[in-house]
């Protein structure tokens, strides 16, 4: 046995990323459930429904046929063609299938995008509040996340003016925007997206568009960055609209000049994306009617929350445009949303995510509710929260 005390294995500085605090809420909810309580889960951002039946059938058939080998690193060609067709069908834009890269969820898409676009030390702007892994992946890769605070007047999205001001203060190399966004559920209008992309283009800032919640838009149709340019990196996934979180499958649309770079990275980092998931994903496009019905269920839940939460006492929240999130201002009740979420779980048995995960500055005043569950749960949550707030004030 080697002497482990001599050279103890210590972690690198860049791996020192913060934990996801929602997992503490998840653990507390699991303890209550083990003790026999019925918890309404609105904390984790994932659909309660299964993948489309067409996807499951295709995966079953592939398993029955036998061998599941590697695929080409950029993905199965027929899947890449099908994804390109999806843009023609939903965005009315022609994309060369050669520009589509299949990825292990959009999470792997971020790693490929950041590695292919940025050097260590490069500065990348993101909106605050925002999805925490953006900043944590950038940090782990040696880049510097630059948080730009967003405001109600701009639907909580980055603007061209805010980007230009941040760039003037200290040069930026990239900007990442999401619409619909997590945790806010707000969307950028076509004009707002064009304004931000125009400012990025003028300043030579590389643009990354996280379009993972496309397909889940209620206020107005979500516009893809692909409609405006070939030079943005677009990241998308089968996790949300197609209800395939655990299949770990997504895609990117990359500028023509970047395809070979991303291919070389994927060859080395992953070889290829899980084959079974790729086969299922291609068939998922034939299950859109089933997924649209699920989306209509989210729309019903959205209505229940938007009308019910104000009656329950939570009357301040951001526009509930898309995705399946409602971001509520709870500053009337607390200056510590983590404690608020813990108490709401323990006393009302409703689990939600404290805003501190998404916004280090103002997150203590917000709580995120995910409404991707059942209609019954959305209704019951409103009633439970109403009773609880009446009691605790
Ligand atoms: C905004 C956003 N982007 C990306 C992801 C990552 O999703 P996946 O890796 O499952 O595609 C999530 C997951 O919640 C998300 O909310």
């Amino acid at each position: 046995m080697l002497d482990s005390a001599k050279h103890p294995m210590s972690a690198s500085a860049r791996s020192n990323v913060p934990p996801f605090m929602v997992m503490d809420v998840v653990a507390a909810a699991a303890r209550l459930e083990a003790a026999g309580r019925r918890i309404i889960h609105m904390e984790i951002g994932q659909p309660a429904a299964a993948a489309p039946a067409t996807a499951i059938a295709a995966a079953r058939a592939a398993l029955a046929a036998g061998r599941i080998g590697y695929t080409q690193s950029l993905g199965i060609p027929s899947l890449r063609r099908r994804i390109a067709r999806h843009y023609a069908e939903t965005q009315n834009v022609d994309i060369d299938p050669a520009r589509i890269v299949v990825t292990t969820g959009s999470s792997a898409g971020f790693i490929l995008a950041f590695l292919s676009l940025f050097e260590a030390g490069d500065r990348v702007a993101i909106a605050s509040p925002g999805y925490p892994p953006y900043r944590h992946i950038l940090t782990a890769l040696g880049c510097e996340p630059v948080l730009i605070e967003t405001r109600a007047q701009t639907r909580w999205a980055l603007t061209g003016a805010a980007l230009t001001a941040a760039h003037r203060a200290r040069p930026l190399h990239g900007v990442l925007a999401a619409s619909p966004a997590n945790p806010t559920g707000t969307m950028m209008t076509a004009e707002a997206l064009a304004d931000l992309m125009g400012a990025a283009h003028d300043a030579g800032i590389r643009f990354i568009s996280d379009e993972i919640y496309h397909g889940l838009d209620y206020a107005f149709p979500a516009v893809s960055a692909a409609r405006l340019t070939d030079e943005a990196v677009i990241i998308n996934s089968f996790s949300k609209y197609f209800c395939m979180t655990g299949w770990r499958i997504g895609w990117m649309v990359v500028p023509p000049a970047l395809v070979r770079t991303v291919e070389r990275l994927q060859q080395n980092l992953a070889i290829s994306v899980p084959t079974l998931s790729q086969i299922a994903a291609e068939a998922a496009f034939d299950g859109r009617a089933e997924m649209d019905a699920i989306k209509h269920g989210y729309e019903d839940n959205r209505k229940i929350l938007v009308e019910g939460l104000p009656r329950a006492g939570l009357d301040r929240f951001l526009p509930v445009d898309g995705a399946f999130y409602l971001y509520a201002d709870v500053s009337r009740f607390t200056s510590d949303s983590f404690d608020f979420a813990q108490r709401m779980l323990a006393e009302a048995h409703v689990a939600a995510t404290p805003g501190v995960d998404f916004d280090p500055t103002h997150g203590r005043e917000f709580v995120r509710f995910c409404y991707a569950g059942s209609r019954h749960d959305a209704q019951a949550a409103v009633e439970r929260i109403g009773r609880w707030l009446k009691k605790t004030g």
Side-chain angles (χ1 to χ4, degrees):
M1 194 67 177
L2 299 174
D3 179 5
S4 56
K6 206 165 162 198
H7 295 293
M9 189 77 87
S10 57
S12 65
R14 66 180 174 173
S15 66
N16 186 17
V17 296
F20 208 3
M21 283 173 80
V22 65
M23 297 321 286
D24 289 346
V25 178
V26 172
R31 282 195 296 276
L32 285 168
E33 276 172 331
R37 301 272 181 245
R38 158 98 170 86
I39 303 299
I40 298 178
H41 288 279
M42 303 184 93
E43 76 281 36
I44 295 279
Q46 72 171 337
T54 49
I56 294 169
R60 281 213 174 97
L63 276 179
R67 180 170 177 271
I68 302 285
Y70 294 130
T71 71
Q72 293 178 28
S73 290
L74 290 176
I76 295 175
S78 57
L79 172 58
R80 296 170 68 203
R81 284 196 298 274
R82 185 63 192 86
I83 292 169
R85 204 173 105 205
H86 181 65
Y87 283 89
E89 289 167 358
T90 59
Q91 297 283 333
N92 199 21
V93 63
D94 272 340
I95 305 244
D96 182 352
R99 293 177 53 210
I100 308 284
V101 182
V102 181
T103 59
T104 310
S106 68
S107 301
F110 295 124
I111 297 171
L112 291 168
F114 298 159
L115 280 174
S116 59
L117 290 175
F118 306 125
E119 306 296 347
D122 278 1
R123 291 162 44 80
V124 182
I126 47 181
S128 184
Y131 178 58
Y134 297 150
R135 53 181 201 273
H136 300 160
I137 298 172
L138 283 165
T139 306
L141 294 179
C143 300
E144 186 187 336
V146 178
L147 270 56
I148 299 182
E149 272 193 39
T150 57
R151 317 216 169 285
Q153 297 89 303
T154 61
R155 273 194 125 69
W156 305 88
L158 295 176
T159 61
L163 185 75
T164 308
H167 184 61
R168 283 208 184 112
R170 235 183 107 194
L172 295 165
H173 302 87
V175 57
L176 187 160
S179 169
N182 177 11
T184 57
T186 56
M187 287 172 57
M188 297 172 83
T189 60
E191 296 73 35
L193 182 66
D195 168 60
L196 181 63
M197 289 179 69
H201 179 262
D202 291 348
I205 298 170
R206 283 129 185 231
F207 194 84
I208 303 171
S209 183
D210 180 359
E211 302 185 354
I212 184 170
Y213 291 103
H214 274 216
L216 301 177
D217 42 6
Y218 319 110
F220 46 86
V223 175
S224 172
R227 291 237 304 247
L228 302 173
T229 179
D230 285 351
E231 291 302 316
V233 170
I234 294 162
I235 295 184
N236 209 321
S237 174
F238 289 88
S239 288
K240 309 293 172 162
Y241 171 81
F242 287 106
C243 300
M244 293 177 72
T245 46
W247 297 74
R248 309 308 303 128
I249 179 99
W251 76 85
M252 304 163 79
V253 184
V254 301
L258 223 60
V259 174
R260 181 66 184 147
T261 307
V262 175
E263 183 176 27
R264 283 189 280 103
L265 284 169
Q266 178 118 289
Q267 287 168 345
N268 284 280
L269 293 177
I271 300 183
S272 65
V273 169
T275 305
L276 196 60
S277 299
Q278 294 194 60
I279 293 167
E282 187 174 342
F285 285 107
D286 297 329
R288 293 202 49 187
E290 187 188 346
M291 296 298 106
D292 280 344
I294 290 167
K295 174 185 174 175
H296 292 141
Y298 301 154
E299 279 187 276
D300 289 346
N301 294 348
R302 169 183 183 254
K303 191 159 181 277
I304 290 167
L305 295 187
V306 168
E307 289 173 4
L309 282 180
R311 285 200 300 270
L314 289 181
D315 53 1
R316 285 193 234 158
F317 41 80
L318 275 44
V320 194
D321 293 336
F324 33 53
Y325 302 118
L326 182 147
Y327 202 52
D329 180 336
V330 292
S331 59
R332 254 186 31 214
F333 304 99
T334 186
S335 55
D336 180 354
S337 60
F338 186 70
D339 172 69
F340 183 88
Q342 294 275 21
R343 282 191 292 114
M344 188 167 67
L345 173 63
E347 294 161 20
H349 300 152
V350 176
T353 309
V356 276
D357 271 333
F358 308 104
D359 181 349
T361 316
H362 302 294
R364 291 182 161 273
E365 293 161 13
F366 288 88
V367 167
R368 186 194 74 176
F369 293 94
C370 170
Y371 56 87
S374 69
R375 181 188 172 87
H376 175 269
D377 275 4
Q379 253 154 355
V382 165
E383 284 158 26
R384 287 183 188 192
I385 292 168
R387 282 198 299 272
W388 176 63
L389 284 177
K390 216 172 263 164
K391 232 193 281 165
T392 63

